[in-house]
């Protein structure tokens, strides 16, 4: 498994420890991590504070550019429609995600955002990297909630 996905999974674990849904993300450019985050929707009282949005914002600020061409995103759960839109607008080169999200995903499930004729940029997409660990984190988190 990729070291970048390992770090995204660490961010997911930290999110779970904060009581957030355990999703973590990393943006890597030129083989180096430039941003990492986990979900913070509860902490920030912000329904848009998904891990993907947070790392895209941080990476854009670091690079001084809203376009992250040449950058790759590693995320532990299939992005939702909002995050898929942000990934497209940021011009992420490659998207790697661990677990699919049958209910809320928008890449291989749901609206399949990147396949839409109105999508201006679709990253290369790879799924299943670290899937078992990501699924276990999610299952354990929600099991404790019920």
């Amino acid at each position: 498994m990729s070291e970048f996905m390992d770090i995204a999974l660490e961010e997911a674990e930290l999110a779970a420890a904060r009581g957030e849904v355990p999703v973590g993300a990393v943006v890597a450019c030129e083989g180096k991590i430039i941003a990492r985050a986990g979900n913070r929707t509860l902490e920030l009282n912000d329904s848009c504070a998904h891990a993907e949005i947070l790392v895209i914002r941080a990476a854009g600020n670091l690079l001084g550019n809203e376009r992250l061409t040449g950058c790759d995103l590693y995320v532990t759960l299939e992005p939702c429609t909002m995050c898929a839109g942000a990934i497209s607008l940021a011009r992420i080169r490659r998207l790697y995600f661990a677990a699919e999200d049958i209910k809320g995903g928008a890449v291989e499930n749901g609206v399949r955002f990147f396949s839409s004729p109105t999508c201006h940029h679709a990253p290369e997409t790879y799924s299943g990297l670290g899937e078992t660990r990501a699924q276990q984190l999610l299952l354990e988190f929600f099991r404790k909630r019920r």
Side-chain angles (χ1 to χ4, degrees), residues 5-143:
M5 186 60 78
D6 286 340
I7 293 169
L9 286 159
E10 288 175 15
E11 288 293 331
E13 290 168 349
L14 291 170
R18 293 190 302 272
E20 302 275 0
V21 174
V23 177
V26 164
V27 171
C29 290
E30 298 178 10
K32 295 179 184 171
I33 292 174
I34 63 167
R36 58 189 285 176
N39 276 356
R40 292 188 179 275
T41 60
L42 299 173
E43 176 186 337
L44 300 175
N45 297 310
D46 180 356
S47 58
C48 297
H50 291 194
E52 300 96 306
I53 300 297
L54 296 174
V55 293
I56 288 169
R57 285 178 180 161
N61 284 330
L62 181 73
L63 297 176
N65 195 330
E66 81 277 13
R67 301 257 170 112
L68 304 178
T69 54
C71 294
D72 301 330
L73 174 65
Y74 295 78
V75 63
T76 60
L77 184 65
E78 178 180 357
C80 69
T81 306
M82 173 184 69
C83 293
I87 290 164
S88 178
L89 291 171
R91 304 299 196 263
I92 295 288
R93 177 178 58 180
R94 293 185 196 105
L95 165 66
Y96 299 88
F97 69 88
E100 73 174 336
D101 185 350
I102 295 169
K103 290 182 181 178
V107 178
E108 293 181 352
N109 292 284
V111 299
R112 299 176 189 231
F113 185 85
F114 301 132
S115 299
S116 168
T118 58
C119 177
H120 296 292
H121 170 78
E124 293 175 34
T125 302
Y126 305 92
S127 61
L129 184 66
E131 181 176 22
T132 301
R133 187 168 162 206
Q135 286 175 334
Q136 288 171 341
L137 277 171
L138 289 160
L139 287 171
E140 182 178 315
F141 177 82
F142 287 111
R143 193 174 300 130

